[in-house]
Amino acid sequence: MNNEAKIAYFSMEIGLSNDIPTYSGGLGVLAGDTIKSSADLKIPLIAVTLISKKGYFRQDIDSDGRQVEYPVVWDPSKFMVRLSRKVKVQIEERNVYIQAWRYKVQSITGGEVDVLYLDTDVEENTKEDREITAFLYGGDVHYRLKQEIVLGIGGVRMLHALGFHIKKYHMNEGHASLLVLELLLMHKKDVESVWDERWIWDTDTVKDLCVFTTHTPIEAGHDRFSYDLVNKILGAVVPLELLKRLGGEHYLNMTLLALNLSKYINGVAKKHGEVSKTLFPGYEINAITNGVHSFTWTCESFKQLYDKYIPGWANEPELLVRAENIPDEELWAAHLHAKNDLVHFVRNIAGIELNPDVLTVGFARRFASYKRADLVFSNLERLLKVGEKGRFQIVYAGKAHPKDIPGKDIIKKIIEFTKTIDNKIKVIFLKDYNMEKALKLVSGVDVWLNTPLRPREASGTSGMKAAHNGVINFSILDGWWIEGHIEGITGWSIGPKPLESSLVNVNDMTDAEDLYNKLENIIIPMYYKDKSHWIKVMKNSIGKIAYYFNTHRMMRRYVTEAYIR
Ligand SMILES: *Cc1c(COP(=O)(O)O)cnc(C)c1O
């Protein structure tokens, strides 16, 4: 195909656009933004993921406030072409054939990045195997391991079958770690008289080829498989003794496997790098803080504003540092435009009226319980006092993983609040969160709220999207916000400073009280009585946050620190 050596970027999920539902949340959207910035910057990169033909899921809410999941119906052939080449992997001693769909991300700079979506829905396969690439994060542990075989081993084979020359393999999270086994096989040394098996496995060469980005700051979040399962499904591609040495004695831990075979390893924010070092002592773990793709995550009215006052911003987001040049009235007008757009959108899709004159708080992300979407409701009496006379309204959205019962309970709880306190504070929940709704929300609200349990938010990126639209962050000091926050200047913190890197034994109440106090004494008064101060903080969100927390800056760091070393 093309002989230039490329970086192969592997990710279980990739979120490039709303129409291609192969993502579940921040990890996938980050991957999509990574690819778009690579295309803009002409970085020679090719991405590999799964086609997830039935998506993650479409979310509905029943009359009791419970999340109901439906398969997504979409047609890849509308967006990409199916390549004829087939490769095979062994799963449970069967051949499983894989084809790839090729999608081209084309930048107006002329840069281009291909994305290969692997698909096992191929006629040679059994009915069951044709479903391996159907559901993102679906099924049980067997299903997950099969998917990871297709992604990691199948992905490497597909790249080679298509004639790509790869200089680095970048694993975005541990789901693709099995690729290292395929690389070990490829680089097996041809030693004549071997008396020690270990000599033939060239781990150093494989290490030189691999880059690993971890995203999970707790032990339980890392994929691991029992060796019985591995033996049954994957078989002995490398000797068990070697696999245990690389992937863990008792379980095959995908993070450990990647850590042991990557020369460059990083976490996704400075704090997360530190937390990862305590989780995995003895590894050199760097930190490259995440970003977002500026052009994708800036709404129309702000794009026009930036084009006028900061030309060239989209491919050089550092220029947003000059946000101070934007006149106050025009900035506010652009914001009102986005806010009204959200009001219309919510009316159309949910039949609910938001009041554009009221301070609007947004909270939308995956409903994993550590994100504590319900923290706002910790002290209802206090909340009602802060919000009396309709001084603010809250918009929620987000999906819980189908098996995440506590996450689903939080959705139910919030739906109940939308009904019970509606006459005092307007609280709404938009179902089926996706990238389109994300852009409407991060640009159309006034304040973006994030309340994770520290130190569980590895980075978080939605607050960076908000900042690109002059929306102000109000957040727990965790993940990226530790680096983006200057109190009262770029936004506001919630709760104490993050000192320890272990799970802090904080009381939810401490965080909630701080949230109520700041909302009541700082945020609400400033919004209604000191608009020029408010606009100053909006400009700082752009000039002191968006200018830095973007994937252009992030990719330049991956290139200089991880890819060309
Ligand atoms: C950006 C984004 C996320 C990530 O949100 P966080 O608050 O960083 O967890 C999740 N889902 C969608 C659809 C997004 O666009």
Side-chain angles (χ1 to χ4, degrees), residues 262-379:
S262 297
K263 182 161 138 193
Y264 183 88
I265 303 160
N266 72 291
V268 289
K270 290 191 195 315
K271 171 78 166 189
H272 177 236
E274 295 306 316
V275 173
S276 301
K277 277 188 217 167
T278 62
L279 268 183
F280 298 101
Y283 294 92
E284 191 192 330
I285 302 182
N286 306 275
I288 297 180
T289 303
N290 282 165
V292 298
H293 186 249
S294 300
F295 190 76
T296 301
W297 294 109
T298 300
C299 70
E300 211 46 54
S301 59
F302 272 77
K303 276 180 179 160
Q304 285 173 20
L305 198 63
Y306 296 156
D307 282 346
K308 184 167 170 192
Y309 291 100
I310 313 176
W313 65 279
N315 203 34
E316 211 177 328
E318 305 88 301
L319 293 174
L320 294 172
V321 75
R322 297 178 57 74
E324 206 70 63
N325 268 347
I326 303 169
D328 282 10
E329 319 77 64
E330 289 187 52
L331 186 90
W332 188 247
H335 176 60
L336 283 187
H337 199 285
K339 197 170 180 182
N340 280 311
D341 197 37
L342 174 66
V343 171
H344 285 274
F345 183 75
V346 170
R347 183 185 302 140
N348 283 339
I349 63 165
I352 300 171
E353 276 310 313
L354 287 171
N355 183 345
D357 298 328
V358 169
L359 172 68
T360 305
V361 177
F363 183 108
R365 46 184 56 84
R366 290 183 305 113
F367 267 54
S369 26
Y370 80 84
K371 298 201 184 235
R372 298 192 299 186
D374 54 345
L375 188 80
V376 175
F377 302 102
S378 304
N379 180 343

Side-chain angles (χ1 to χ4, degrees), residues 18 23-27 29-30 33 292 297 363-366 370-371 398 433-439 442 448-450 457 459-465 480:
N18 207 51
Y23 62 92
S24 86
L27 181 72
V29 174
L30 174 80
D33 287 1
V292 298
W297 294 109
F363 183 108
R365 46 184 56 84
R366 290 183 305 113
Y370 80 84
K371 298 201 184 235
Y433 191 47
N434 58 24
M435 288 176 68
E436 182 195 19
K437 289 180 184 117
L439 179 57
V442 296
W448 193 250
L449 181 68
N450 194 13
E457 192 69 280
S459 167
T461 50
S462 63
M464 305 172 187
K465 300 171 189 165
W480 81 277

